[in-house]
Amino acid sequence: MLKYELRKAFYNRLFVFTFVFCLLIAIFNAFIEISDYHNMLALMNESGKIDYELNSLAVNWLGHSQHFTMYLYYFSIFLVCTFPYSYSLLEEKKSTYINQIITRDKRETYYIGKYIATFLAGGAVVTIPLVINLLICATMIPYYQVSQYGELYYGVPQPYLFSNIFYSNTLIYIVLYLCLTFIFIGLWSTTVLSLGFYIKNKITLIISPFLGLLALQFFYNSIGAGLLNGYTITPLFLIRLRSDVSYGAYNSMEVILIWFMVMIAFNTITYFLKGGNSDVI
Amino acid sequence: MLSNFIIFDIKNGMIRKYKTWIYCLVMCTIVNIIAHYIIMNAIDRGTVATFSDYVLYYTAGSKPFNPLENEAYSIPALWLFQILLCTFMCLVYPLDDLNATGKIRLILSRSRSSFWFAKCIWICCNTLFYYGLFYITSLISCIITGNSICLYASGFTSEIMGYWSERTLEGPYLFEAFYLLIPLTVIAISLIQMTMSLLVGKLYSFLITAVGLLASSYFKTSYLLGEYAMPIRSNHFTMNGYDVRAGYIYVLSIIVLTSVIGYFIFNKKDII
């Protein structure tokens, strides 16, 4: 059943289109970063003072970029990660396909298979383009380990999550954030899947959690930022590799863990308990 | 014929969806309470707030991002939210109706134009009602709190909300032109979205709308429609801002053009 669900999640039109959308942003960003790197290198050659750290791959790729493409990517991933498969349960209930499956196989196998497929599809559609961007940039931009002297330029201040790793081994920092992105986005996709028990319209199911995120960001900007000493609680900023210091957004492991727990608890109660007991036929 | 379609759409797409409007009203109230909380902090410093200040709080947008100013770009979450919520409401009903009883009405009426233009008019009504709710809630907040019901926005709003820059003009600002320009811009965006949904589907048309709005807040270009839904980028607020009259002409032309183009696409679409 898991194999079948994975096939449905990864071989569908929406997955392909969404992947292409994310990939286009990633490739476009890679060209900008490489072009910027060459321009910066030419300027530094003219002045005779080359700063290798500032031109390192560690700070010149999509995850660490300061271009519009970075803002666009991290803004849209919470919407697009739900496109591939988060609506599948709702669709299959509507089309009564679920009745055919549950009467032929174990209900638990079906639900667990769908949950894992949604998690992997959501995480993969967002994380793979990031990895591809990193690899494209790595073909042209050399990697140098960055040091704490350039903290102001890198946007990774002391309170930022894993900042000590960033200044000791940036590659591990990047890998950690890629894993964090994969897990967070995967869980977000499964949360939307669980919401399918309450929301009966496909478009509303996919778009309303994203609007909820924007509303949460607004509340945080208006009230929360001052109360939380600049620590962000909104997912739009939690999984970014660099901080928007002037905007007062630091992330922390505590907040990320709370989000994980909330999403897992919601999924367990709604998806597994409610789904396991729901009368399908 | 057209009037029958319009009445049907208003009944089904607006009146019967009264629960959505209740949620909207709750949202408007919360936004205005927060606006009041922030404005009151400014009043403590001896400034008088106006009705337009409340409206400016959620419609202002963001100042254009300049990477050379060494500032991080901040997503204008409230501005994006209030526009995307409206475009989302305008997105769901038209195609849902087409897939439900719309097909039967299309066959019986034998008029695709009536169906399409009724949907365009429904979007206008929906958006105007949505902004009407926001404005009325702001007006009530203003009256309850004893602030001035004035169509000028005070100078402090742009300052306390971080919009102040060297290019910002001195207040108070004439705001009355924006009460209609903002809803008209959102109507144009929603019409483009509805037309696009015929070609690429509802999800991708919403994604394109969201990306377009984010781009409008990041870049300063008069070609992106989102610019005209941001009063602080106009020549009333900023030097070298967009001309409000030109904004009206541009937005109205887009509304007419999109309705007509959308009609041709809808006419060619294989529906049944």
Side-chain angles (χ1 to χ4, degrees):
Chain A
M1 184 58 80
L2 175 65
K3 199 176 160 187
Y4 186 60
E5 284 294 334
L6 281 173
R7 199 173 157 180
K8 280 203 295 176
F10 283 87
Y11 288 90
N12 72 61
R13 198 168 47 94
L14 275 172
F15 181 89
V16 174
F17 282 148
T18 310
F19 186 75
V20 169
F21 171 79
C22 291
L23 196 63
L24 283 175
I25 297 176
I27 292 171
F28 186 61
N29 174 271
F31 281 114
I32 293 171
E33 291 296 336
I34 291 166
S35 151
D36 277 5
Y37 165 74
H38 285 296
N39 291 340
M40 185 65 93
L41 211 62
L43 272 174
M44 284 179 174
N45 275 329
E46 269 177 31
S47 66
K49 194 180 173 187
I50 300 175
D51 188 336
Y52 290 106
E53 276 187 29
L54 211 58
N55 285 320
S56 170
L57 171 70
V59 288
N60 287 294
W61 69 289
L62 179 57
H64 217 101
S65 178
Q66 279 184 296
H67 290 283
F68 173 66
T69 41
M70 189 277 278
Y71 294 106
L72 173 63
Y73 199 81
Y74 281 93
F75 172 76
S76 55
I77 53 174
F78 285 93
L79 180 64
V80 298
C81 73
T82 58
F83 285 9
Y85 210 52
S86 295
Y87 60 89
S88 63
L89 183 71
L90 179 73
E91 292 274 286
E92 286 171 10
K93 277 170 88 174
K94 269 189 181 172
S95 65
T96 67
Y97 169 85
I98 190 171
N99 301 357
Q100 305 297 324
I101 294 293
I102 281 177
T103 48
R104 286 168 173 78
D105 206 334
K106 278 185 184 172
R107 184 189 282 247
E108 295 82 36
T109 328
Y110 169 75
Y111 277 115
I112 292 169
K114 187 167 286 299
Y115 188 85
I116 294 170
T118 309
F119 178 85
L120 293 177
V125 82
V126 163
T127 318
I128 293 173
L130 274 175
V131 176
I132 292 172
N133 173 276
L134 185 66
L135 293 175
I136 296 174
C137 290
T139 57
M140 300 298 279
I141 306 171
Y143 171 81
Y144 299 104
Q145 177 56 48
V146 294
S147 66
Q148 209 152 358
Y149 297 113
E151 191 183 298
L152 264 176
Y153 300 105
Y154 307 139
V156 186
Q158 275 303 315
Y160 211 66
L161 181 66
F162 304 137
S163 61
N164 51 342
I165 301 172
F166 179 75
Y167 294 111
S168 57
N169 194 331
T170 315
L171 272 183
I172 295 177
Y173 176 84
I174 292 171
V175 172
L176 281 172
Y177 266 91
L178 286 175
C179 295
L180 182 69
T181 306
F182 188 93
I183 298 168
F184 204 104
I185 295 295
L187 279 174
W188 184 260
S189 311
T190 55
T191 308
V192 176
L193 178 79
S194 308
L195 281 171
F197 282 103
Y198 303 107
I199 302 170
K200 302 296 173 202
N201 183 295
K202 180 183 164 184
I203 305 298
T204 313
L205 173 70
I206 290 175
I207 294 172
S208 54
F210 178 71
L211 290 176
L213 265 189
L214 281 179
L216 184 69
Q217 184 66 44
F218 149 63
F219 287 126
Y220 171 77
N221 292 353
S222 315
I223 306 165
L227 298 174
L228 295 162
N229 293 328
Y231 278 95
T232 185
I233 54 161
T234 59
L236 284 175
F237 286 90
L238 274 178
I239 53 172
R240 285 191 189 175
L241 281 93
R242 62 176 298 142
S243 152
D244 285 333
V245 183
S246 66
Y247 202 37
Y250 304 126
N251 61 359
S252 69
M253 185 49 98
E254 290 84 354
V255 178
I256 291 170
L257 286 177
I258 290 170
W259 268 102
F260 281 175
M261 282 193 288
V262 168
M263 287 192 282
I264 291 168
F266 178 76
N267 289 340
T268 311
I269 295 165
T270 309
Y271 187 78
F272 291 110
L273 297 181
K274 194 177 159 69
N277 298 323
S278 63
D279 188 12
V280 177
I281 302 169
Chain B
M1 184 73 74
L2 180 65
S3 59
N4 286 343
F5 271 99
I6 294 168
I7 292 165
F8 180 88
D9 283 335
I10 288 173
K11 269 186 190 168
N12 278 276
M14 286 178 73
I15 299 169
R16 283 197 184 163
K17 303 224 180 238
Y18 67 93
K19 280 184 188 168
T20 317
W21 294 114
I22 294 171
Y23 294 137
C24 270
L25 191 64
V26 172
M27 194 63 220
C28 295
T29 313
I30 294 169
V31 167
N32 277 293
I33 288 169
I34 293 172
H36 174 70
Y37 161 78
I38 286 167
I39 288 167
M40 277 299 126
N41 281 343
I43 284 177
D44 288 342
R45 286 188 269 139
T47 325
V48 177
T50 65
F51 165 59
S52 295
D53 287 325
Y54 281 75
V55 177
L56 188 64
Y57 177 72
Y58 47 82
T59 57
S62 65
K63 62 179 181 183
F65 176 63
N66 184 1
L68 300 174
E69 281 179 1
N70 206 18
E71 272 184 28
Y73 165 69
S74 58
I75 294 173
L78 177 58
W79 178 80
L80 278 170
F81 174 74
Q82 52 99 8
I83 295 181
L84 284 176
L85 182 63
C86 186
T87 56
F88 165 62
M89 286 164 69
C90 293
L91 174 72
V92 177
Y93 172 71
L95 287 186
D96 275 2
D97 179 53
L98 180 64
N99 293 328
T101 57
K103 279 178 190 168
I104 299 163
R105 282 185 287 124
L106 262 180
I107 294 163
L108 292 175
S109 66
R110 284 183 286 177
S111 169
R112 285 194 181 212
S113 59
S114 299
F115 186 88
W116 176 258
F117 289 114
K119 290 286 176 281
C120 294
I121 292 166
W122 173 81
I123 283 181
C124 297
C125 297
N126 204 54
T127 310
L128 290 173
F129 189 73
Y130 175 84
Y131 277 96
L133 263 186
F134 262 104
Y135 294 161
I136 288 167
T137 328
S138 297
L139 190 68
I140 293 168
S141 310
C142 206
I143 292 167
I144 291 171
T145 53
N147 284 316
S148 160
I149 307 167
C150 175
L151 296 179
Y152 280 92
S154 319
F156 75 91
T157 318
S158 56
E159 196 177 346
I160 59 163
M161 289 172 72
Y163 300 137
W164 189 263
S165 76
E166 288 157 9
R167 291 181 297 275
T168 310
L169 300 169
E170 288 290 328
Y173 308 104
L174 189 59
F175 197 76
E176 59 192 14
F178 300 103
Y179 286 108
L180 192 59
L181 181 61
I182 296 164
L184 282 178
T185 309
V186 178
I187 287 171
I189 293 168
S190 300
L191 284 172
I192 293 173
Q193 183 183 248
M194 184 169 75
T195 307
M196 275 192 306
S197 68
L198 294 172
L199 302 168
V200 294
K202 285 187 269 191
L203 283 179
Y204 282 97
S205 61
F206 183 81
L207 177 66
I208 294 166
T209 307
V211 169
L213 286 172
L214 187 79
S216 305
S217 70
Y218 188 91
F219 299 108
K220 181 171 169 33
T221 163
S222 48
Y223 296 111
L224 288 169
L225 265 174
E227 178 104 344
Y228 301 102
M230 288 187 270
I232 58 157
R233 291 195 186 179
S234 70
N235 57 4
H236 288 207
F237 283 79
T238 323
M239 276 186 267
N240 305 324
Y242 69 82
D243 181 38
V244 177
R245 276 186 200 166
Y248 267 103
I249 294 166
Y250 182 66
V251 166
L252 286 170
S253 331
I254 293 281
I255 290 174
V256 174
L257 209 66
T258 315
S259 306
V260 175
I261 293 171
Y263 167 68
F264 285 117
I265 295 170
F266 184 67
N267 219 12
K268 298 261 178 199
K269 193 174 167 65
D270 186 12
I271 297 167
I272 301 164

